[in-house]
Amino acid sequence: MLELRIAGRDFGQPVLGKIVATVARGDRICLLGPSGIGKTTLLNAIAGLDKSLPDTAIIGRERVRIGYLFQEHRLLPWRSLHANLRLVGARDQEAENLLGQVGLTGYGHYLPDQLSLGMARRAALARCLAVKPDLLLLDEPFASLDPVMVSGLKALIADILDANPGMAMICVTHDGADAEVLANRLWYLDGKPARLQWDGAIGEPGQLQERLGQLRKPELTA
């Protein structure tokens, strides 16, 4: 689906080093690493939002439909949820069906600011699904949500991925427990500049936590 061939990225000082990886259909990747290491920078590069990178940095992107769930919901506040979904191509009934998929049946006429943070994030997820993505990018989708909301949104995303086995996902998170539920593959970003220190399949829960403990040792020592 995608080949990452990023030579590096800096913002006055190096942020990303050389990143070489592939993303295949059905990959469910959780991207972990220390705060501020460059995880969102990498996600933006994959999405094509970083125009300073050459086209050869992400090979195959022009053939991939991408849905991006940002940390902020980024719904247009002056438009209803239905209208926000129609802007990305959903017809009226399709918009209603998508809202139903994320547990927001009957909320189509609401404005984003009339929703809780968790509901707004689910509405933004519906907007991602409206583009029928091949690749779903999630940037800390559970940040600032209470544990009940986190559990519900995590289960919802897992159900969506299970219902669309060909869809790939890359989810930025700080919690290894998210990877246990959502991922079949782990990326760990660290270093100065940051590189993928680990790119491998998710094992048993105990193995995952042990691996994360090993990867986080330099961070904890610092």
Side-chain angles (χ1 to χ4, degrees):
M1 180 187 287
L2 290 180
E3 285 187 57
L4 279 59
R5 295 289 183 267
I6 300 172
R9 182 68 172 97
D10 68 82
F11 298 90
Q13 59 181 6
V15 175
L16 295 180
K18 187 176 182 180
I19 305 287
V20 177
T22 60
V23 181
R25 295 191 182 279
D27 275 347
R28 296 162 58 159
I29 300 165
C30 271
L31 170 58
L32 284 84
S35 295
I37 202 67
K39 298 184 295 295
T40 297
T41 298
L42 178 55
L43 214 62
N44 288 341
I46 293 169
L49 299 180
D50 189 343
K51 301 304 181 183
S52 70
L53 293 174
D55 293 340
T56 54
I58 310 292
I59 300 170
R61 185 173 51 216
E62 69 281 357
R63 299 187 298 272
V64 174
R65 290 190 302 275
I66 295 176
Y68 197 152
L69 183 63
F70 298 91
Q71 292 184 31
E72 311 84 21
H73 61 72
R74 299 199 182 184
L75 298 164
L76 295 181
W78 59 88
R79 290 183 179 269
S80 69
L81 300 190
H82 268 162
N84 269 280
L85 268 62
R86 287 197 298 269
L87 285 173
V88 294
R91 298 180 182 274
D92 287 344
Q93 187 57 54
E94 185 181 12
E96 187 62 31
N97 292 342
L98 287 166
L99 290 175
Q101 284 183 42
V102 300
L104 293 175
T105 298
Y107 284 89
H109 63 288
Y110 277 58
L111 296 174
D113 289 345
Q114 294 176 298
L115 306 176
S116 69
L117 175 59
M119 294 169 71
R121 204 162 283 169
R122 281 188 277 148
L125 178 59
R127 182 181 56 186
C128 290
L129 298 177
V131 305
K132 299 178 176 62
D134 304 303
L135 173 61
L136 189 60
L137 301 179
L138 310 173
D139 191 4
E140 297 195 41
F142 313 118
S144 304
L145 299 182
D146 65 51
V148 173
M149 287 184 178
V150 168
S151 178
L153 183 57
K154 199 182 298 186
L156 173 63
I157 292 170
D159 287 346
I160 289 169
L161 293 169
D162 288 344
N164 298 274
M167 184 188 297
M169 175 205 75
I170 304 174
C171 176
V172 169
T173 179
H174 290 279
D175 191 345
D178 297 339
E180 291 177 359
V181 174
L182 296 176
N184 56 24
R185 187 171 165 193
L186 174 70
W187 282 358
Y188 195 85
L189 191 69
D190 202 356
K192 294 184 179 180
R195 295 179 173 86
L196 288 179
Q197 306 295 333
W198 180 261
D199 176 3
I202 296 288
E204 296 298 321
Q207 294 174 330
L208 172 62
Q209 295 302 331
E210 182 180 358
R211 173 62 61 184
L212 284 173
Q214 294 169 348
L215 291 166
R216 284 169 168 163
K217 276 183 180 177
E219 175 188 354
L220 296 174
T221 301

